[in-house]
Amino acid sequence: MNELSSPKSGQLIVRCCGVCLSADMLRSENMTHVTFYLPDDSHFVVEFIMRMGQLGCFMPVTDESAGVKEDRRNSVTQKVAFFRAEKNLLEQASRLLGRLDNLCDELVPGDQSLLWNRSLYTLHSDVQRHWEEIEGMISTYADLAHQESKISDWMLALQAVNELWPEPAMLELYRTNSEAAEGMLRDAEHGETEESPFLGREWTTVVIEKSKALTLERILWRWLHGNIYFHVLREMQEPSSMASHHDDDALKRALAGLTESGWPRDVVLLMIPGVELARKVEKIVEAMGGRAFAVSKDQAQRDHQIQHLAALHVDLEEASTWPSKMLSDYLDKILTQSRQEIEHHLREVALALPSWKASVRKFGEIYRIAEFVAMPDGSLSNTARGIRQQRALLCAWCPSKDLPKCHSLAFEYKHAVAVTYVQIPSWRPSLPHELRPPTLIRTNEFTKPFQALIDAYGVPRYKEINPGIFAIVSFPFLFAVMFGDAGHGFILVFAAVTMLMLSHVLRTKRLDEISSMIFYGRHLILMLGLFSIYAGFIYNDVFSIAMKLAPSQYFWKHGRVEACRKDGYTYPFGVDHAWHQADNGLIFLNSYKMKQAVILGVLQMLFGIFLCIPNHNSQGQPEYVLVETLPEITFLTSLFGYLVGLIIFKWLVDWKAKGQNPPSLLNVFLEMMLRFGSVSPENKMFPGQVALQKILLSIAVCSAAALFLGKPFAIMLMHRLRRRGYQIINDEISAAAAIPPQSDSEQFNCHEEDCLTTGDIFVLQGIHCLEFCLSCVSQVASYLRLWALSLAHEQLSQVLLDLVLLPSLRVQGLLRPVAFVFCSLVWLALTIGIMIMMEGLSAFLHSLRLHWVEFNSKFYQGDGYPYEPFVLS
Amino acid sequence: MSGWNVVWGALVTGGLCAGSYFGAPRGENQTVIRTSLIMTLVCCYLMWAITYLAQLHPIINPKKSDFARNADTL
């Protein structure tokens, strides 16, 4: 086992596996499948995964090789039990951290330093300890506050009663003032008498919120059927000293719900018939959030109670006046001390909180990767298990370039870990599913957006030609053919260059979704702009104004409507500016742009078909080049290559000098299809046309047939050749072991669940042939959108120039500059809004469609999956 | 000026392509630089050649109906 992990053997494997195909944007990089055999220990597994994450070049995958499927159920339950303890700790820690986070929110901005080498256990115990301390302190404070408020309520009640029943000297006043009080006082003073209705009644004072006092009175009145005396003695406002306790917002939140609320309060005197009823009334009062205190009828007893209560506080002299400054100061001192302790603790926690949260998040990621670990099978005895069953398995994909990192990791743990490597230099259809590598295409800031455009359609298959490298030029080029205006191109370049200059500033800023997309594609926009400037020069359009770079090839004789052509001189670069002012300019431009679109389309499609050749070669199927790619090329060339040739031929012939009416290419092409073997006189372009057209049409039909029949027969032939080789070996083996020979059924592609039969491959190839032949026609026509959008763009910009900008110049007099400024501002706004944004987006979209459908369908499979390494930052 | 200009242009473009193929700096971006340069040259040449060919022997000539409003008076 140790030999497997040594770096030397690993390097040997790398060197042996042949020449690597080029590792750049043309294809995916080489990938290696690495399997780690880890010991059966959860702590080790976690530490190992942490180390893997720090190296950051592995993409863990599940191990689906044969032999694990049977005990998959066992390993899942084992896995769950194995990591359950850790996951519980993790969940607890996250919950506590969430609660602490709420408390610490506004206290202190936390320190970002990372305490990385805490293990999960120390983290969890720390967090729990802090939480318990804080909880203890908070509950102590709550108790104190609770007691304090109860004592003060009681004192308040007693004082209120004292006021009502003062010393005997004051009794005279009361006697004269109130009848009810008289009755009460007589009873109170002279003790119980037989006739008094309040014989043996209980006196209770209640301190309750003012708003609830009325409700309490109603409840008690109804419940006791009126046998109650309810008298509000005094109303109390909230004393100012209580407010100072809660000036800290954070502390307020921490202590929310623990302190009393509900001022102003009423002090109510109740007389209730009976001890049991009094107890029940107490319960009702407490349920409503008030407090009931028994009041002794004896004055002395009440005084004694007050003394006793005040002795619990301090300073009896000021206790009769409420609020008492010294009393509240003393309470403040106790409460402040505990509050300060809580604050101090919270501050400590707030400092450590961000790093704790980061640790918890990282452990969460580690346990996500731990899901990929295949657990050892516990059902068999130790001796019966092989290496696969004895150890925990972790499979990962690693780019072959990063194998040294893998070797160093294996070396670091060489006493405990064994490693195996499988190099996958190329893709084969027969690769088992778990050995299909992910695709890694290294891109930089410039190539990133182009690759993103292709990835949105489909990630390239492993070792397939990546169309992204061609999209760097072909995408902006097709965009420019549709957008061709040098002025608008300049605005695009200007915007792109601005973003490039400010990229170091914009990179750190948080942009909204659309702005961040535009910033992501700043290099793409630069390319679009540059190609548009070039196309603008070719189309001779700068904001729809023609440039006079060279003398025109036309001149107007005096009085003539139509221009004459100068002999022997062609406008050297781009479209002649004479067409710009002409009435029939569109006729020429339409014909020119349509033909250009067809030529560019046929060339791009041909290029796409040619890209199949390296793909077939690298996938080990070179015979497909002969039976599939070659018929496709001949079909396209014989029909649409001929059309392109006709276009160029028609351009090269001087029809006026020949004295012949130039034939319409459409008619020529249609007649070639519809009337095999004859050409009408007005469609004759060159001698030998009949023979050539006959040959080309025959080639096209034959190649269509070859496309349909070639590949299935090739597959069958290859299969039979391979099987004949194995058949000899099989016969020998079966003769020796008396095993019946393999069945004779023709089945191809049998490594996946669906085996294809002979009928299947014929049907699939027939579909492909039909699709290809029909799509040739439709996609060439689809390329005419290059003409259509370019026409729309040119017409729109001409409208903006002729109807918005130029009329302001025809204004005479002093208003001219004012009108010009105003109109040019409107023109600028419309240019940016309509021409750049709307038309730009439209051209972008259509160019993208041409790539995705017309180009990619010729060669691109796009069924890979991207390489996403596990990185612990 | 004749159709042969297109051929000279093709030769010039071919030469530039060969130059960019052999002259691309070595490094991890060599393929990207080569591909981009060659494709740019080919695309730009194509566009120019098509435009040139289209105007070599034009079938129609520009017509102007009103000479009073000349585009030169701007």
Side-chain angles (χ1 to χ4, degrees):
Chain A
M1 267 176 286
N2 277 339
E3 304 88 65
L4 287 168
S5 67
S6 68
K8 201 171 163 217
S9 65
Q11 277 167 6
L12 195 62
I13 293 171
V14 171
R15 262 185 259 123
C16 269
C17 270
V19 178
C20 302
L21 299 171
S22 63
D24 44 33
M25 208 177 156
L26 193 63
R27 282 189 167 92
S28 160
E29 289 195 10
N30 276 343
M31 287 291 187
T32 313
H33 183 91
V34 184
T35 310
F36 294 104
Y37 296 90
L38 307 171
D40 198 351
D41 173 17
S42 67
H43 298 289
F44 185 85
V45 167
V46 167
E47 192 191 325
F48 190 79
I49 294 175
M50 207 188 313
R51 204 63 196 97
M52 268 177 72
Q54 282 169 346
L55 285 176
C57 61
F58 295 97
M59 178 178 170
V61 286
T62 49
D63 174 41
E64 292 178 36
S65 52
V68 181
K69 280 194 181 145
E70 301 102 53
D71 44 48
R72 200 193 284 264
R73 222 179 311 131
N74 276 344
S75 54
V76 165
T77 14
Q78 276 177 331
K79 221 186 293 185
V80 168
F82 195 67
F83 288 112
R84 185 180 293 145
E86 273 84 358
K87 282 206 164 153
N88 279 346
L89 280 179
L90 200 62
E91 279 163 22
Q92 270 184 33
S94 322
R95 262 202 309 267
L96 293 176
L97 280 177
R99 278 191 243 163
L100 282 174
D101 200 16
N102 287 340
L103 293 181
C104 303
D105 228 346
E106 292 160 25
L107 271 181
V108 164
D111 186 6
Q112 296 299 321
S113 68
L114 181 60
L115 310 169
W116 181 221
N117 38 4
R118 301 174 88 92
S119 83
L120 186 61
Y121 302 99
T122 51
L123 176 68
H124 178 262
S125 58
D126 267 352
V127 167
Q128 187 143 44
R129 185 171 42 87
H130 279 288
W131 175 254
E132 274 161 15
E133 278 183 39
I134 291 178
E135 247 187 342
M137 279 192 273
I138 289 178
S139 60
T140 317
Y141 177 84
D143 280 342
L144 264 181
H146 205 77
Q147 270 209 4
E148 182 257 337
S149 106
K150 185 173 175 193
I151 289 172
S152 52
D153 277 349
W154 204 341
M155 284 192 57
L156 174 66
L158 285 173
Q159 280 155 13
V161 171
N162 259 358
E163 275 174 27
L164 181 64
W165 295 330
E167 288 120 282
M170 298 286 287
L171 220 53
E172 291 298 325
L173 270 174
Y174 277 96
R175 235 187 221 125
T176 49
N177 284 348
S178 140
E179 290 289 317
E182 215 180 272
M184 272 193 326
L185 288 169
R186 208 183 310 125
D187 288 333
E189 258 188 297
H190 304 302
E192 302 165 2
T193 59
E194 296 298 327
E195 305 83 43
S196 165
F198 293 113
L199 193 67
R201 307 307 185 230
E202 297 297 318
W203 291 91
T204 317
T205 45
V206 167
V207 180
I208 196 169
E209 266 180 71
K210 189 180 176 66
S211 53
K212 294 189 184 165
L214 197 58
T215 323
L216 179 67
E217 180 176 2
R218 285 217 181 95
I219 291 178
L220 292 177
W221 184 266
R222 286 212 185 94
W223 184 53
L224 295 170
H225 301 289
N227 289 333
I228 186 165
Y229 177 72
F230 190 98
H231 179 61
V232 176
L233 286 176
R234 187 202 286 196
E235 176 188 308
M236 288 315 308
Q237 301 295 329
E238 182 171 1
S240 54
S241 68
M242 291 288 278
S244 64
H245 292 166
H246 307 298
D247 52 3
D248 192 324
D249 275 334
L251 197 60
K252 225 180 206 165
R253 262 185 295 119
L255 305 170
L258 298 173
T259 50
E260 301 300 314
S261 61
W263 292 91
R265 297 193 181 168
D266 275 348
V267 182
V268 179
L269 180 68
L270 290 179
M271 191 161 72
I272 306 153
V275 173
E276 280 300 322
L277 285 177
R279 276 200 215 114
K280 289 190 180 164
V281 164
E282 259 182 60
K283 287 213 174 75
I284 292 179
V285 165
E286 259 152 46
M288 292 190 71
R291 285 208 187 90
F293 306 103
V295 165
S296 83
K297 306 174 197 105
D298 186 10
Q299 170 87 10
Q301 208 176 359
R302 286 200 300 275
D303 282 342
H304 179 72
Q305 262 183 331
I306 292 180
Q307 274 184 0
H308 174 67
L309 285 176
L312 290 177
H313 295 249
V314 167
D315 218 344
L316 290 159
E317 287 96 83
E318 275 109 358
S320 56
T321 63
W322 188 266
S324 145
K325 187 71 179 65
M326 281 185 69
L327 183 65
S328 57
D329 278 351
Y330 190 77
L331 286 175
D332 270 344
K333 225 194 305 178
I334 299 179
L335 291 174
T336 314
Q337 257 181 11
S338 51
R339 180 187 51 156
Q340 275 175 353
E341 268 190 56
I342 295 177
E343 259 187 40
H344 174 71
H345 236 85
L346 283 178
R347 257 174 238 274
E348 260 186 28
V349 167
L351 281 172
L353 202 58
S355 57
W356 286 352
K357 276 163 54 170
S359 294
V360 166
R361 196 175 50 237
K362 265 162 211 163
F363 276 113
E365 282 189 40
I366 292 181
Y367 285 116
R368 184 178 60 82
I369 297 298
E371 306 248 330
F372 291 115
V373 175
M375 296 312 301
D377 177 18
S379 60
L380 303 175
S381 74
N382 224 333
T383 47
R385 297 192 257 177
I387 176 173
R388 268 194 109 75
Q389 282 86 21
Q390 270 176 20
R391 287 167 165 255
L393 275 181
L394 183 57
C395 302
W397 284 105
C398 177
S400 302
K401 267 191 188 157
D402 290 331
L403 269 184
K405 280 191 197 170
C406 185
H407 293 322
S408 70
L409 179 67
F411 190 72
E412 204 177 311
Y413 292 100
K414 65 178 179 203
H415 54 281
V417 170
V419 194
T420 54
Y421 304 91
V422 181
Q423 292 268 359
I424 319 271
S426 61
W427 194 91
R428 291 280 184 278
S430 55
L431 267 182
H433 184 72
E434 62 271 8
L435 280 183
R436 296 214 168 149
T439 308
L440 169 63
I441 293 180
R442 289 200 208 261
T443 53
N444 51 26
E445 286 292 315
F446 177 72
T447 54
K448 226 174 25 174
F450 300 100
Q451 189 59 39
L453 287 177
I454 299 296
D455 281 348
Y457 176 81
V459 177
R461 186 189 271 183
Y462 183 66
K463 289 298 178 185
E464 186 183 36
I465 296 279
N466 168 33
I469 195 176
F470 306 114
I472 298 178
V473 169
S474 64
F475 180 77
F477 178 65
L478 290 184
F479 175 90
V481 172
M482 294 188 267
F483 196 75
D485 190 310
H488 302 145
F490 170 74
I491 294 181
L492 281 178
V493 168
F494 180 71
V497 167
T498 314
M499 279 196 283
L500 284 176
M501 302 287 235
L502 296 174
S503 63
H504 57 280
V505 168
L506 288 172
R507 206 191 301 263
T508 51
K509 235 176 144 185
R510 188 168 292 212
L511 302 163
D512 64 293
E513 196 177 329
I514 293 186
S515 310
S516 67
M517 273 207 299
I518 296 178
F519 180 69
Y520 182 80
R522 57 197 183 280
H523 294 279
L524 173 66
I525 296 179
L526 178 69
M527 292 290 275
L528 297 180
L530 289 174
F531 274 92
S532 302
I533 293 180
Y534 179 78
F537 273 96
I538 297 274
Y539 289 158
N540 219 346
D541 256 344
V542 181
F543 295 124
S544 178
I545 302 172
M547 295 178 282
K548 292 192 173 149
L549 294 175
S552 167
Q553 71 182 37
Y554 300 100
F555 65 95
W556 269 275
K557 284 193 196 145
H558 181 73
R560 280 270 191 89
V561 170
E562 185 176 337
C564 300
R565 171 93 158 74
K566 284 185 200 163
D567 283 329
Y569 170 76
T570 316
Y571 194 77
F573 193 83
V575 174
D576 197 320
H577 47 84
W579 288 109
H580 197 262
Q581 353 157 335
D583 291 333
N584 57 348
L586 269 186
I587 302 180
F588 167 73
L589 284 175
N590 282 351
S591 153
Y592 149 66
K593 283 181 183 172
M594 275 203 234
K595 291 173 181 169
Q596 177 181 257
V598 168
I599 294 177
L600 291 177
V602 171
L603 284 177
Q604 189 178 30
M605 297 209 302
L606 212 54
F607 181 51
I609 301 178
F610 271 107
L611 283 179
C612 274
I613 299 179
N615 274 348
H616 285 316
N617 278 335
S618 77
Q619 288 174 9
Q621 301 159 323
E623 58 271 9
Y624 285 3
V625 174
L626 210 59
V627 296
E628 194 176 26
T629 313
L630 195 59
E632 285 180 355
I633 294 174
T634 48
F635 183 82
L636 190 63
T637 319
S638 62
L639 289 181
F640 294 97
Y642 178 60
L643 180 62
V644 169
L646 281 179
I647 292 173
I648 298 180
F649 180 78
K650 186 174 172 187
W651 275 340
L652 283 173
V653 170
D654 192 351
W655 298 100
K656 285 196 179 128
K658 244 177 132 178
Q660 184 187 349
N661 237 359
S664 155
L665 287 178
L666 202 58
N667 290 343
V668 172
F669 201 60
L670 282 176
E671 201 189 27
M672 172 176 149
M673 302 295 165
L674 296 176
R675 280 209 272 164
F676 180 75
S678 71
V679 163
S680 52
E682 67 262 16
N683 284 342
K684 189 159 166 57
M685 291 182 74
F686 52 87
Q689 188 176 351
V690 176
L692 183 62
Q693 283 182 188
K694 271 198 216 171
I695 294 173
L696 286 177
L697 203 53
S698 326
I699 291 178
V701 172
C702 290
S703 44
L707 186 58
F708 173 47
L709 296 171
K711 188 165 162 185
F713 280 118
I715 292 179
M716 284 162 55
L717 187 66
M718 286 280 113
H719 189 80
R720 216 162 274 170
L721 284 176
R722 283 195 202 108
R723 255 200 346 152
R724 196 178 300 153
Y726 296 146
Q727 198 71 23
I728 301 173
I729 303 174
N730 266 350
D731 287 343
E732 287 178 0
I733 294 177
S734 50
I739 302 171
Q742 266 192 329
S743 68
D744 222 15
S745 61
E746 305 260 14
Q747 288 199 317
F748 315 96
N749 236 19
C750 263
H751 42 272
E752 295 173 350
E753 288 82 40
D754 48 339
C755 289
L756 300 175
T757 60
T758 318
D760 279 342
I761 51 176
F762 269 100
V763 167
L764 284 174
Q765 192 59 23
I767 293 175
H768 176 80
C769 169
L770 194 65
E771 190 188 15
F772 178 79
C773 298
L774 291 180
S775 72
C776 266
V777 183
S778 72
Q779 283 171 0
V780 169
S782 168
Y783 270 97
L784 286 175
R785 71 187 69 224
L786 294 174
W787 155 67
L789 262 91
S790 149
L791 175 67
H793 188 94
E794 182 221 329
Q795 290 298 300
L796 270 176
S797 63
Q798 196 170 8
V799 159
L800 278 185
L801 183 75
D802 279 345
L803 297 183
V804 176
L805 202 55
L806 286 187
S808 68
L809 290 173
R810 291 192 201 107
V811 172
Q812 300 300 329
L814 283 173
L815 273 181
R816 205 192 214 194
V818 175
F820 182 66
V821 166
F822 176 71
C823 283
S824 54
L825 287 175
V826 174
W827 174 87
L828 186 65
L830 286 176
T831 298
I832 294 181
I834 298 180
M835 303 309 300
I836 307 281
M837 304 240 183
M838 190 187 84
E839 280 285 315
L841 197 62
S842 170
F844 184 99
L845 214 72
H846 283 283
S847 175
L848 195 62
R849 175 252 151 76
L850 283 178
H851 277 76
W852 280 0
V853 179
E854 272 77 16
F855 183 54
N856 283 357
S857 66
K858 297 287 173 290
F859 70 100
Y860 190 50
Q861 304 300 323
D863 54 3
Y865 61 104
Y867 165 77
E868 279 154 3
F870 167 58
V871 177
L872 277 181
S873 50
Chain B
M1 305 186 116
S2 62
W4 286 108
N5 279 341
V6 180
V7 180
W8 310 142
L11 290 175
V12 167
T13 312
L16 286 173
C17 286
S20 61
Y21 183 84
F22 293 110
R26 267 181 210 280
E28 57 175 12
N29 289 329
Q30 191 184 32
T31 320
V32 173
I33 296 175
R34 272 183 187 165
T35 315
S36 315
L37 280 177
I38 293 177
M39 279 186 75
T40 310
L41 288 167
V42 169
C43 290
C44 293
Y45 165 73
L46 262 181
M47 220 178 163
W48 171 80
I50 290 171
T51 317
Y52 189 83
L53 284 174
Q55 295 183 111
L56 209 51
H57 302 289
I59 301 168
I60 57 172
N61 291 337
K63 279 189 195 158
K64 255 204 309 197
S65 56
D66 53 341
F67 280 87
R69 185 165 66 84
N70 202 343
D72 285 324
T73 61
L74 254 175

